[in-house]
Amino acid sequence: MSEKLLEIKNLHVMYHTDLEDVYAVNGVNLSMKTGETLGLVGETGAGKTTLALSILRLLPDRTGRITEGEILYNGENLLEKDKHTMATIRGKEISMIFQDPMTALNPTQTVGQQIYEALMLHNNANLSKKELWERVDSCLEMVGIPAARRKEYPHQFSGGMKQRVVIAIALCCEPKLLLADEPTTALDVTIQAQVLMMMKNLRDRLGTSMILITHDLGVVAQVCDNVGVMYAGEVIEYGTLQDIFKSDKHHPYTEGLFGSIPKLDEETERLAPIDGLMPDPTQKIVGCSFAPRCPYAMDRCHTEKPGSCNDNGHQIKCFRYTDETAMEVSS
Amino acid sequence: MWKFIGKRILLMIPIIIGVSLLVFTILYFTPGSPGEILAGANPQKEVVDQINHELGFDRPYHVRFFEFLKGVVQLDFGDSYTSRQPVIGEILSRFPRTLTLAFCSMIVTAILGISIGILSAVKQYSFIDYASTVVSMFFSSMPSFWIGMMLLLLIAMNNPWFPINGVKTWRGYILPVIAISLCNAAPLMRLTRSTMLETIRSDYVRTAKAKGALEKRVIWKHAFKNALLPVVTNIGNNFRALLGGSVITETVFVIPGVGSYVVEAIRNKNVPSVMGATLFLSVTFLVVILAVDVLYAYIDPRIKAKYTK
Amino acid sequence: MKKLLALLLVAVLMVGLFAGCASTDTTDTTDTNNTNTTDTTNTDSKEEESTESDSSEGNKRDHINVSLSSSITTLDSMQTTLAINHIVAKALMDSLTDFDENWDVVPALAESYEISDDGMTYIYTLREGVTFHSGDPLTPDDVVYSVERGKAAAPLAATFGKYCAGAEALDDRRVALHLTQPYTPFATIVSKELVIHNRSYHDEYIAEGHTEAEYLMHVDGTGPYKFVSYEDGVALELEANENYWAGAPAIKYWHGKIVTDNNARALAMEAGDIDFVSTQVTIPQSSIATLEASDDVNVIYTDFMQCGSVLLNCRLPEFQDVRVRKALNYAVDYDWLIETQTEGKGVPISCAYITEKTTGFSTADSIVNYTYDLEKAKELLAEAGYPNGEGFPVINAVITEQRKGCMEVLQQCWAELGLTVEINVVESSSVWDTIDSGNYSVGIVFNNVMPDTTMYDWYFGDPDTGALNRTGYENPELWELQEQAAVEMDPDKRQELFDQIWTIITDECPVVWMYQQPQMMYAAKGLHVSGTYPTNSVVHWNEFYWE
């Protein structure tokens, strides 16, 4: 068995509605080892959340469709599992925390009950009720909430506290993989730092692998080991933290991202955004997805899709670094 | 919580007085008198006047109203003009029927409406969803008396097991309860469906799924519980309305309940009966409303917090 | 959630429990004689129904289900004018005399009666061996007591109280009733209004601590049926009086089911749930056709006519000219009126208000019968000074919702004369108030014809005698004749007087007579019913039987 905890192969996901089809994920290849923290960066609409939801198969029933690809967790394809098996995996093997803590909790249940539910659903060790409640208490303590507050309802907590509860719920069963979808975006900066610190500590203590989805490069720098940059449903660059932050070679999009971050030590009058907009996800893209906005675009870029150039683990999908065209693996 | 309930009970008093005053005034100013009804087909004026005098109908406004209030405190609503029997007794003898009808209808309505509503929401766009939508629109638009009469004609006429009218046995309640329930379950089903659709798409439902909860658990423990509030409101309103006596159903199925009692009393200008029944129903309504509000607190802790502030 | 569900279930169980207790079911009796009532026209559905429905209907021949249109408020018919009470009371109580099919006075509790020469005293000889339901024998003292009650009941038993001064027992079988003034139809009033109570029973009942109001629902009478139970708004149960002086009634159990809605009543009749509906109630027109077509129901047209007429407010200047009133009479298309309002079942009126069986019915040639003659009407109106209706004030018609159809027809007929009618619909509880205050031009009344002559008292009687005068028509000659007729003992002379009275009334026409309509009774097939009592839709319950 490989060391790979999670391997995503050529994943294509789309949303099919009566009006139109939205191609959200267009051929993503990723892999993770145990204990690794992968940061997934990109703009809104890049397909990051869709990717994460696909792993747990939480896409909306009617509209979300995984059209191609495999998601291998510990070597097994999650896409082939039935509902019951997936339910045992969710929360226990793989957990997810979502973006908005304000609405992520059930307003009519106490926080204690919500953590308890997660424990109860995966009570493989057959602990008694009393023991389960004790675990609830320890989970709350773990995220820095006094256990006495377990009888309180979500509306009695502040935003930051709520997110901690969400994290407690996600981690209480000690999952191997945590999918964190912009966990601190909705919080203000000081709380953000606190929560991130807490997540890092927990990760270290429990040995959880994590996929951290964010659009904030600063957060990535603090927490992640590897980084993947997503654009228009594809991972256009992938590498270690060093590769992404320090290397000379970058995908033009990544350059643009870094370039758009205002620098403290320079005087500028205007921000430097990337020209143009993300391509219309309802259209299938011909050629490189970034080509319309790319300052280095060649004719070739508009018609052929670039393959991935692999430089010691640092992968970039751009014709500037590779001559290979991506192989369309059709299935 | 008890402070809240206590305050509400105290509030009932001015409301009831206000309602009584309003109804009494309306009765006072509408033309006609009980004497005209009681004196028969071609009444002579002296006869009418005498009867009105005996009943105390010709006394001034404030005297009659004050006497009414005095009686209320002692739970005595006076005697009915037509039967000369105590009004309270007449109302109480009819109320159990109305209560049974209302209660059974409420339960059947709730079961029908909620279950089909949830099914529709969970299986949105399926055949069940479309079929139930069409059927519920049909029953929403049909007047209840039509459905009642149809039931009578189609079922009771040819089937002696169902009594054609009256509720001497429990069998007499079956068709009226069905008629009422069909009419009320339709809008309830639509409401349940729409609130369920809303809650199913909410974030906490997604969290629950991410925890590994199976669909059944997600629907009932998470989605439904949060969808409950408007549903409870609807059921509470229906129950309240039914307690007021579903006059039409009572007429069609000949159930001597409170509704038909009040209507007949109004027609006969039977002031004590109307006042007594109004008061009785007001109190009943207020109690039901209070009960529903208290129920809210148990469903949604945010509301409970508001009450106990 | 679980708690809620549990609570609900408990509540349902409790409701189920007490709803079950509230029902008045008795145990099922077994069918013994049902073999007789198989074929004929009693359909199978009725048999099935009788074995499975309300359990006490084991043998169909022993039961009759009567429809009551509203709750009973009292069993003492002297205390009320509500027809429903009278219908029921007839089953429980008797009077000294009764009516036969020709509406003549015949003996009942009294074997015979004599009238004194001055006409002021009526001596009744009581039948022997009559007992009340309680078992007490009927005595003259009971009659005296009943007369006392009757007088005390004024103004409800108005006519009786007006003409009867009092009573005294003469011996152990005879009682004398004294009048306040000579009055020929007195025997009729006794038949119609007086009922005989049991004094000792009443006194005991009150002594036990009951109120007078309670006694009204617990009377002790001599009638063909005994009181069993009454559930307000639901049903009245009676049982045959085996010792009834005229012979025990053929049908043992009398069930009065209270059905307030006309449609529900028709349905129940069709389904066989109800066997008899009296003339007092209305069945909606649409259902009448169904019932007539049904094999299970007999629609019986009785002699009991209801006469519809239009009161003209003779105090108004425009109505004081007899030619105007005649014009209004001639302008009505009677056939059309009868066709639309009664579906052709009505008949024209031939002598003012009354029908053949009524005392005083006159066939004299001098009586004016109005037929549809538009030309004549126009002539008369023009003569009176309103050619083509010019200058005639708007006619303000004050009626109840029920009579709207009639009025609309009249409105159109009179429009041909150039007259305008404004229809004002009011509640039945206030219509007489409005009319008595004089605030109307025309109003509609429907009378159940009564066998004494006081009926005209209401519309154009002499106010000095205490009569109402709703039309405001004043004619001292007429009043003189009426007073004479009231005391004339000789039947031939009386008839002459009536001929004159009706001549004047029809000639002067202070009203417009529309039509008569036979009242209908509805009986289940196989049920033989009695003829109609001449007033208040009452029937002889002891004459009912199943064929």
Side-chain angles (χ1 to χ4, degrees), chain A residues 81-89, chain B residues 212 214:
Chain A
K81 303 274 181 204
D82 63 62
K83 279 201 203 146
H84 283 269
T85 318
M86 278 312 295
T88 56
I89 292 176
Chain B
L214 287 169

Side-chain angles (χ1 to χ4, degrees), chain B residues 79-156:
Chain B
D79 293 340
S80 151
Y81 284 166
T82 47
S83 69
R84 316 292 177 118
Q85 304 293 335
V87 168
I88 184 84
E90 292 188 335
I91 296 177
L92 285 178
S93 72
R94 287 157 180 269
F95 188 62
R97 293 183 205 113
T98 302
L99 184 63
T100 310
L101 195 64
F103 201 83
C104 295
S105 301
M106 176 184 83
I107 299 215
V108 175
T109 304
I111 294 176
L112 261 183
I114 293 178
S115 57
I116 299 184
I118 293 179
L119 199 63
S120 263
V122 168
K123 296 206 184 312
Q124 199 186 10
Y125 303 121
S126 69
F127 172 72
I128 292 181
D129 187 22
Y130 288 129
S132 61
T133 303
V134 169
V135 170
S136 75
M137 289 213 199
F138 174 76
F139 280 110
S140 288
S141 17
M142 286 299 145
S144 60
F145 69 82
W146 182 85
I147 295 187
M149 299 209 88
M150 282 293 118
L151 285 173
L152 275 179
L153 281 175
L154 297 173
I155 300 183

Side-chain angles (χ1 to χ4, degrees), chain B residues 272-291:
Chain B
S273 290
V274 176
M275 296 300 292
T278 304
L279 206 69
F280 185 82
L281 288 175
S282 305
V283 172
T284 317
F285 285 3
L286 288 169
V287 167
V288 171
I289 292 175
L290 181 58

Side-chain angles (χ1 to χ4, degrees), chain A residues 237-240 242-245 247-251 254 308-316:
Chain A
E237 186 167 342
Y238 174 88
T240 64
Q242 281 280 62
D243 290 336
I244 299 295
F245 279 82
S247 165
D248 298 326
K249 293 204 288 187
H250 285 298
H251 189 282
T254 319
S308 202
C309 125
N310 194 336
D311 175 21
N312 219 4
H314 185 184
Q315 297 169 23
I316 303 176

Side-chain angles (χ1 to χ4, degrees), chain C residues 19 71 112 127 138 252 326 396 516:
Chain C
S71 298
S112 61
R127 202 178 286 270
L138 170 68
K252 198 154 188 298
K326 279 188 189 282
N396 174 18
Q516 316 183 97

Side-chain angles (χ1 to χ4, degrees), chain B residues 36 38-39 42-43 97 107 168, chain C residues 12 23 54 81 429 433 470:
Chain B
E36 289 195 35
L38 289 174
N42 279 305
R97 293 183 205 113
I107 299 215
K168 281 229 269 279
Chain C
V12 170
S23 75
D54 200 308
T81 53
S429 61
D433 216 14
R470 289 215 155 103

Side-chain angles (χ1 to χ4, degrees), chain B residues 10 27 51 225 237 250 279 304:
Chain B
L10 282 178
L27 284 172
I51 295 177
K225 196 152 178 244
N237 278 341
E250 286 182 12
L279 206 69
K304 187 171 190 172

Side-chain angles (χ1 to χ4, degrees), chain C residues 159-175:
Chain C
T159 333
F160 183 79
K162 184 172 164 191
Y163 292 106
C164 183
E168 58 179 316
L170 297 178
D171 52 43
D172 62 356
R173 276 189 71 193
R174 296 186 309 153
V175 59

